[in-house]
Amino acid sequence: MYAFEYLRAGSVAEAGALLAKNPEAKLLAGGQTFIPTLKARLAQPSHVIDIGRIAELRGITVSGATVTIGAMTRHAEVAASAEVRAAIPALAALALEIGDQQVRNRGTLGGSVANNDPAADYPSAVLGLNATVITSRREIAADDYFQGMFSTALEDGEIIKAIRFPCPKRAAYCKFHHPASGYAMAGAFVADTGAGVRVAITGAGASGVFRWKAAETALAKSFSAAALDGLAVDEGTCIADLHAGADYRAHLAGVMTRRAVQKITG
Amino acid sequence: MRPVASGGIGAPVARVEDRRLVTGAGRFVADAALPGMLHAAFVRSPHAHARIIAVDTAAARAMPGVHAVLTGADLLDAGVRPLPHAAVLRRADGTPMRAPPRHALAAGWVRHAGEAVAIVVAASAQTAADAAEAVAVEWEPHDAVVEARAALADGAPRVNREAPDNLLGVFAHGDPGAVDAAFAAAAHVARVEVVNNRLVANALEPRAALADWQDGRLTLRVGCQMPHLARAQLADAVFGIAPERVRVLVEDIGGGFGAKSFLYPEYVAVAQAARHTGRPVRWVATRSESFLADSHGRDSVSEAALALDADGTFLAMRVATVANVGAYVSHLGAVIPTLAGTKPLAGPYRTPLIDLDVRVVQTHTAPVDAYRGAGRPEAAYLVERLVEAAALATGIPALDLRRRNFVPRAAMPFTSAMGEVYDSGDFARVTALALAAADWDGHAGRRAAARARGRLGGRGLAYFIESTGAANPVESVRLELGAETVTVYSGTQNMGQGLETAYAQLVVEALGVDLARVRIVQGDTDRVARGGGSGGSRSLFIGGAAIGDACARLVALARARGAAPAADAWFAFARAQGGTLSVEGKVKVDAFSWPNGCHVCEVEIDRDTGAVAVTRFTAVDDVGRVINPLIVHGQVAGAVAQGLGQALLEEAVYDRRSGQLLTGSFADYAMPRAGIVRALGVFLDESAPCTTNPLGAKGAGEGGSIGAPPAVAAAVLDALAECGVTHLDMPFTAPKVWRALQRART
């Protein structure tokens, strides 16, 4: 770890002001990616601004047909939330599959979505549920938010405050765990929103989370695993690395999508 | 049944060291601090193979808080000599093997990514790390080779000037002509080619060292399994000083697994830094450094063939192994794939002839040395894969082949085709116990149930035998009877395996004293005169036998003084004798012990993803006489978990072109977690105690990591057989299994 100044922000406004004042500063949320990055000396911020204790960023609100989750809400809180489990059980189930218990006790929704790791779980729920990212400056639709591996629509100094998830008619998440890291080797979030079907794939895409539109169209016609027969994710768009080839990840994305549909249809 | 004395031999005593370890009261090197202590960080090579043109330390030395920066040249100037190793092999032309000198800090060339080039000593660890980045090294990078067989190819990048073909040495055994004749006459021949994947031990506690060099005497605090060997190597080989001028101190070790057996370059550099600065210097490895610079384990590829007659009797075995020893020869690097690892190569079988050829090869990778099993897992894996292949070649079930070829109990002691004498063992009985415990015959039902869930069920069995301990058959202890306690001073080393408890039980058994009155002192070369350390599962049956001898001498001493104390009366006796009585116990065991066991594994494979789940695992181990069943169960379970790790998950991978370690963190190197096995049954059979040591014990620390990989392999290949898959190499990862299924379909 390189030396840095540690600052703790008491409010989103204060965090924004500190960011504006210190162009080389970075925000610290749950720290489950950022702290290991610092420890490996892969980042050298001048200041680390801790936003993990900002009260306005915590909490879960169910209102009408939406669930709004504060950016600093821990994965474990989402997994255990009776409100989330009632309104969007697939989201609570997803949170329960992130990392391990220690990671879930520290890691946050906002941290995950801001980082947009191509193998993270939450981006698939945000995209699959057509959620809205509420920031310190605006609201961003999920389809506009994710812009490639570790890349988002967030501007410099813009802070995620909460994410608003519309409650779907039915949804499920299915994930194949990477045996070392626990991230998704491939994960599929399938949602029947009432207005249509959305399928978001994480872990597999070389540009991060993406919608599998062919599967969405097929499932919209007939919401069944059989509707996916003959469909395949284009392996040309998938990650190939030490652990698995692009063909395996493309195949796995298909398997996880089928299983997510089967989870829903029973 | 022999009645179990309270706390004595055979008693399931909870480990006395556990309260300390699980409540955070353990004392590790990183917990030790000395007044005026400085902190060290290493500059490591970013290249797998490069010439060092220049090292500029000026900027680092100028940084506030930096006390010293030492390079390889500085160590040479100070007269620090290279680390020693066992040069046991010869080259094919008969000349002795010659490895490149392993300097504590690279001098001239670096030969693996992560090799230490300079040490920076500063007032804080943070400053040391910052200054290490300020050391500017001018490199001339060269091509690297990381795989042993590739290193043998014409034109491969050269690791060792003394061995331009990268072939460090060869090791052969047997009569090739007789084996050829047996193959020519065979009704069946089975062949396999198997890779034994490279592993990183990954102890919970990374390596660390704290050196203090005062008044011409070095005190090194280090997590080391063999303190007296470290002292000897530091004194004699490296610094050229009398052994009395070196003290090695070991407190708790957070897991050794063989990888903390021997001297490392960093320990020498830290010691020299302490001498140079006159201040205590401490270094604690990061996990990244552990991956890069701990000695690795395994890494060999073998071609083997087994000749059988029409009835399935084994006639002869032929084995050709290429073993990767890495860029330098770590202490036993050349021994493990040759002298040590091939001892049990006949397995539990009567196979009369073995033709063995091992080539030990250097590559631009971290040195390979002992890791739980150390050569014996490779042997058992190879033999058992060959037996499974023989079942396919002959149509005779593998279990029948094994039973037909087992050395029968009545034939003990038995001299194997490797020339090794198995003193004891009842392989047929242990197999029968394992079949019953594993519900072998019930597998068909579970397989059908798996199929109904869309899974491929598989069942595999492996029998292993291993050689433990007697490469160093001598051990001595001092036993002190005081007014309140009995203290044993032993030069073996607890590293988490429970010696403090098991040793105390031996004292309880012999003297009848309360367990709480027994103290075990280890890990201090000043307080313990000598000892062979812990490795190769030697401690209990050699070090423990020495304790038995010491106790017997104490009893004899008391008798000579007209007393026959028991239990607390020992302490009254000591007080009557003036306070403290001291005796020396000594033992030389006659031979290796031969722990063995039968492991049965069941798996379910997800056809769609290739994921392998171990649904049941049963281990029946013969470790001879059991001193503490709780400890042995834990040892077997832990070793099985590590064996499952090798079989299913673990592999240290270097990039073939750049020589960079690709699996340098836990995000990429998969370790087994508790869920690796859903149901694990561990059973011990004590019906064939060891005959070559007084305790009747056999080593117990390594069997699981030897038996598990071939059992898993057999189960996985059994599950995949119906799909036409006949071969796979470890680790059996989901993508690899899926690909094999894809290939078999086309």
Side-chain angles (χ1 to χ4, degrees):
Chain A
M1 208 176 277
Y2 295 109
F4 54 80
E5 287 286 322
Y6 172 86
L7 303 168
R8 185 184 296 158
S11 67
V12 174
E14 188 189 353
L18 289 168
L19 271 179
K21 197 173 141 200
N22 303 292
E24 297 299 311
K26 288 279 180 202
L27 296 181
L28 170 64
Q32 297 308 289
T33 299
F34 188 43
I35 297 291
T37 304
L38 290 175
K39 282 177 72 177
R41 296 192 159 217
L42 296 172
Q44 193 170 9
S46 63
H47 297 72
V48 168
I49 303 165
D50 187 351
I51 57 171
R53 302 192 197 193
I54 298 177
E56 63 185 294
L57 296 180
R58 299 291 283 269
I60 295 165
T61 315
V62 178
S63 162
T66 64
V67 175
T68 303
I69 302 178
M72 291 302 101
T73 308
R74 315 285 179 191
H75 308 326
E77 292 168 343
V78 175
S81 160
E83 292 97 326
V84 178
R85 288 163 73 167
I88 317 177
L91 186 60
L94 174 147
L96 193 59
E97 283 204 62
I98 299 172
D100 52 34
Q101 189 63 49
Q102 289 86 345
V103 167
R104 292 192 291 274
N105 284 341
R106 293 291 313 165
T108 65
L109 170 63
S112 170
V113 172
N115 190 47
N116 192 21
D117 187 299
D121 299 284
Y122 266 133
S124 70
V126 173
L127 191 60
L129 288 168
N130 196 17
T132 301
V133 180
I134 303 166
T135 77
S136 52
R137 295 175 192 169
R138 55 187 166 145
E139 296 195 351
I140 310 171
D143 283 326
D144 301 326
Y145 176 82
F146 297 103
Q147 302 198 341
M149 196 181 269
F150 297 108
S151 175
T152 70
L154 291 174
E155 298 162 353
D156 282 350
E158 188 172 15
I159 299 169
I160 299 177
K161 290 170 69 177
I163 305 212
R164 190 170 63 237
F165 295 94
C167 297
K169 222 169 93 188
R170 45 190 184 163
Y173 179 61
C174 213
K175 168 191 185 182
F176 191 88
H177 292 251
H178 188 292
S181 68
Y183 276 93
M185 190 91 101
F189 199 102
V190 176
D192 178 358
T193 65
V197 176
R198 291 173 70 99
V199 177
I201 305 293
T202 190
S207 303
V209 68
F210 66 94
R211 283 174 64 187
W212 185 12
K213 299 257 173 94
E216 292 179 354
T217 307
L219 290 169
K221 279 188 200 147
S222 162
F223 197 87
S224 69
L228 298 167
D229 288 351
L231 292 183
V233 169
D234 176 8
E235 68 175 72
T237 66
C238 287
I239 300 170
D241 63 14
L242 159 73
H243 304 288
D247 58 343
Y248 180 73
R249 281 198 171 82
H251 165 78
L252 205 55
V255 173
M256 292 303 119
T257 305
R258 269 175 204 90
R259 290 186 180 174
V261 172
Q262 281 162 350
K263 254 192 202 177
I264 295 168
T265 58
Chain B
M1 286 289 288
R2 192 177 49 82
V4 172
S6 168
I9 289 177
V13 175
R15 304 192 335 163
V16 299
E17 49 270 75
D18 283 352
R19 176 175 294 273
R20 172 177 92 237
L21 294 172
V22 304
T23 57
R27 286 270 308 172
F28 302 92
V29 175
D31 297 316
L34 295 175
M37 185 174 79
L38 301 174
H39 300 262
F42 286 92
V43 178
R44 294 184 180 278
S45 172
H47 300 290
H49 187 202
R51 193 164 70 85
I52 301 167
I53 295 172
V55 184
D56 183 353
T57 61
R61 277 186 285 117
M63 288 170 70
V66 172
H67 287 249
V69 181
L70 301 178
T71 65
D74 294 327
L75 263 56
L76 287 176
D77 288 347
V80 179
R81 301 196 293 246
L83 279 77
H85 62 261
V88 293
L89 300 182
R90 292 189 172 274
R91 289 179 41 77
D93 62 9
T95 57
M97 70 177 241
R98 275 188 296 181
R102 190 182 191 195
H103 296 288
L105 298 171
W109 288 82
V110 290
R111 296 181 176 85
H112 69 90
E115 184 174 353
V117 175
I119 184 172
V120 177
V121 182
S124 73
Q126 176 76 23
T127 303
D130 288 345
E133 288 190 3
V135 173
V137 184
E138 192 181 337
W139 303 102
E140 178 187 278
H142 287 253
D143 290 341
V145 63
V146 298
E147 290 174 333
R149 288 196 293 191
L152 289 176
D154 285 343
R158 201 184 274 192
V159 184
N160 175 357
R161 218 164 302 180
E162 308 285 349
D165 49 4
N166 292 328
L167 183 57
L168 180 76
V170 295
F171 179 79
H173 175 90
D175 178 348
V179 170
D180 286 348
F183 271 86
H188 305 282
V189 174
R191 295 177 202 282
V192 295
E193 180 182 321
V194 294
V195 175
N196 211 286
N197 37 325
R198 179 182 275 243
L199 305 175
V200 182
N202 280 322
L204 202 54
E205 179 209 16
R207 287 189 295 119
L210 166 54
D212 191 17
W213 201 308
Q214 298 296 336
D215 305 322
R217 190 162 194 254
L218 167 66
T219 300
L220 183 72
R221 288 168 169 82
V222 64
C224 177
Q225 298 171 221
M226 301 186 174
H228 290 85
L229 177 67
R231 178 180 67 171
Q233 292 187 331
L234 285 166
D236 303 339
V238 175
F239 289 113
I241 56 177
E244 305 82 63
R245 288 177 58 198
V246 177
R247 179 187 192 185
V248 175
L249 267 178
V250 182
E251 295 184 273
D252 285 312
I253 302 179
F257 308 115
K260 288 182 188 159
S261 298
F262 309 119
L263 205 56
Y264 274 94
E266 293 90 348
Y267 306 163
V268 172
V270 167
Q272 178 60 24
R275 178 156 73 168
H276 179 83
T277 58
R279 301 265 294 264
V281 176
R282 191 177 74 189
W283 165 72
V284 180
T286 63
R287 185 58 67 180
S288 302
E289 288 183 292
S290 297
F291 274 105
L292 286 168
D294 282 8
S295 57
H296 292 179
R298 320 283 192 257
D299 199 347
S300 64
V301 53
S302 297
E303 291 176 47
L306 182 67
L308 305 92
D309 73 9
D311 297 332
T313 300
F314 302 167
L315 302 174
M317 187 166 74
R318 189 187 282 138
V319 175
T321 293
V322 177
N324 188 345
V325 75
Y328 298 95
V329 181
S330 178
H331 182 59
L332 290 186
V335 174
I336 283 162
T338 57
L339 292 159
T342 61
K343 285 190 187 303
L345 192 61
Y349 308 115
R350 282 172 298 165
T351 317
L353 295 165
I354 293 178
D355 173 23
L356 168 69
D357 173 66
V358 184
R359 289 185 287 168
V360 180
V361 178
Q362 295 203 268
T363 63
H364 295 104
T365 61
V368 175
D369 205 323
Y371 171 59
R372 205 167 194 168
R376 291 153 286 156
E378 295 93 310
Y381 184 71
L382 178 62
V383 170
E384 291 301 273
R385 286 289 301 257
L386 202 46
V387 172
E388 294 288 322
L392 291 180
T394 60
I396 302 171
L399 181 57
D400 294 349
L401 285 178
R402 290 190 173 92
R403 286 169 161 156
R404 199 163 299 178
N405 290 282
F406 275 153
V407 176
R409 179 169 190 162
M412 299 289 176
F414 178 84
T415 304
S416 82
M418 291 305 296
E420 300 293 333
V421 180
Y422 301 167
D423 69 287
S424 59
D426 192 339
F427 312 140
R429 174 189 155 87
V430 168
T431 301
L433 291 171
L435 296 177
D439 185 26
W440 179 261
D441 294 331
H443 173 70
R446 292 186 290 276
R447 193 181 188 110
R451 182 174 301 280
R453 284 180 275 112
R455 307 267 168 139
L456 297 166
R459 174 184 71 176
L461 177 148
Y463 208 103
F464 73 91
I465 184 163
E466 57 150 336
S467 47
T468 63
N472 186 357
V474 183
E475 199 60 44
S476 63
V477 299
R478 191 157 60 84
L479 185 144
E480 264 180 22
L481 174 69
E484 302 289 340
T485 55
V486 184
T487 305
V488 174
Y489 297 84
S490 168
T492 58
Q493 187 60 47
N494 200 5
M495 54 178 136
Q497 78 277 51
L499 282 185
E500 286 171 48
T501 307
Y503 278 177
Q505 288 182 253
L506 298 176
V507 176
V508 170
E509 177 79 16
L511 304 182
V513 298
D514 197 65
L515 190 79
R517 298 286 201 119
V518 185
R519 304 278 178 275
I520 309 295
V521 175
Q522 299 178 302
D524 183 345
T525 58
D526 274 8
R527 296 176 74 197
V528 179
R530 64 189 66 82
S534 287
S537 301
R538 71 184 292 275
S539 305
L540 187 75
F541 78 87
I542 306 179
I547 292 173
D549 182 59
C551 290
R553 285 170 195 269
L554 184 67
V555 170
L557 183 149
R559 192 172 300 139
R561 297 183 187 182
D568 279 356
W570 277 109
F571 305 110
F573 172 69
R575 288 191 289 271
Q577 296 287 319
T580 300
L581 293 166
S582 181
V583 292
E584 190 93 4
K586 221 179 207 173
V587 74
K588 180 176 185 299
V589 301
D590 299 335
F592 282 84
S593 89
W594 296 92
N596 60 92
C598 185
H599 290 192
V600 177
C601 177
E602 288 191 22
V603 299
E604 286 184 16
I605 296 177
D606 182 335
R607 282 170 185 267
D608 293 333
T609 65
V612 178
V614 174
T615 48
R616 297 161 68 92
F617 197 97
T618 308
V620 179
D621 279 29
D622 163 14
V623 300
R625 194 177 182 197
V626 174
I627 309 304
N628 183 326
L630 285 182
I631 291 178
V632 178
H633 274 89
Q635 284 289 310
V636 175
V640 164
Q642 281 179 311
L644 293 174
Q646 168 163 30
L648 296 171
L649 299 168
E650 297 184 48
E651 185 172 28
V653 180
Y654 284 92
D655 184 81
R656 282 180 198 177
R657 292 210 349 260
S658 69
Q660 296 297 321
L661 181 64
L662 299 177
T663 50
S665 81
F666 288 133
D668 288 311
Y669 185 97
M671 292 294 286
R673 293 157 160 94
I676 187 85
V677 55
R678 294 184 198 164
L680 172 64
V682 174
F683 305 88
L684 304 173
D685 181 49
E686 295 187 71
S687 69
C690 187
T691 64
T692 58
N693 71 72
L695 285 177
K698 308 177 185 181
E702 297 166 287
S705 58
I706 303 172
V712 174
V716 167
L717 289 172
D718 178 49
L720 297 176
E722 66 177 81
C723 304
V725 177
T726 54
H727 175 77
L728 269 183
D729 281 314
M730 301 186 289
F732 306 118
T733 64
K736 192 187 282 183
V737 170
W738 176 77
R739 192 164 306 284
L741 284 167
Q742 294 298 107
R743 280 210 197 101
R745 271 177 203 139
T746 54

